Amino acid sequence: MAPLLPQLDGVLFDCDGVLVDSERITSRVWAGLLTGYGMPTTTEESLATYLGNSMARCLEIVEDRFGRTPPDDLLPRFYADVKVALATEVTPVAGIVALLNALEIAGVPYGVASNGEHDKMRTTLGATGLLPRFEGRRFSAVDVARPKPAPDLFLHAAQVLGFDPSRTIVVEDSPLGVRGAHAAGMTVIGFAELVAPERLLAAGAACTVAHLSHVLPLLVPAPASAS
C-alpha cells in the first residue's frame, strides 16, 4: 500500500478516542449529569451529540436541545467528576503505543491537537503513560480563537511544530475534527471506531481505518523485503 503523501512532515493526533479510550467515559459522566439536572440523556445520545465538540459548544447544544440555560455548576461538576473517572478508568486506544513506537523508529515527528483542555489531556495522557511522549507537542482549542471544526488549532500546531499543512497527516475520530483538519489543508485519516466511516469520509477524510494498526502503511513506505 502506498503512503497517502509522497512527502510527510509529521502527524497530528486527536486525543480523546484516538490516543486515549476516553470518549465512552466522558459521555457517560456528561449524560449522567444532564439527566440529574432534568435533561434526560443516555450515554449513546451523548456520544452522538457531543462527540468532538469543545465544552463551550457543548453548553450551547444543551441550551438548544432543552430550551434552557445550563446550570452554572454543570461544567465545574463535570470537570471534577470526569477527572476522577478518567484517572481511574482510561486506557490507551488499542494499537496507539505500537504506532507511536513505529513513528519514532521511522523518524516521523508527531503531536496532539485536541478540543479538550490542557488539564484534561494531562489527566488522560498521564494515566495512560503517554504524557512524556507529547511534551511540548500538546495543543488545545483553548490556545486558539476558534475550536474545531475551524482549522485554527491544526494550523497553530503545524506552525509550532514546523509542519507544512500540505505535508501533514491528521488522525481523527469525529466529523468535526475531520472538517477542521481538511479545512487546514491537511490529509485526514478517519478512525472509524465510534463513528461510521461514511460520516468521516463525508466530512473530508481521505480514507478510514477500523484499527490503528492500519495507519502506519498509510504514513510511511513498507520496508523493502530481503531478496
Side-chain angles (χ1 to χ4, degrees), residues 149-223:
D152 304 32
L153 178 57
F154 294 106
L155 293 173
H156 170 63
Q159 181 180 36
V160 173
L161 295 174
F163 298 170
D164 182 327
S166 68
R167 296 199 295 265
T168 301
I169 284 181
V170 177
V171 183
E172 268 284 355
D173 71 328
S174 76
L176 286 177
V178 172
R179 285 168 53 198
H182 184 69
M186 299 176 181
T187 301
V188 191
I189 299 172
F191 179 38
E193 207 269 327
L194 291 174
V195 175
E198 294 77 15
R199 290 185 61 200
L200 299 174
L201 292 169
C207 63
T208 65
V209 296
H211 193 277
L212 291 179
S213 62
H214 302 153
V215 171
L216 189 63
L218 299 170
L219 302 179
V220 298

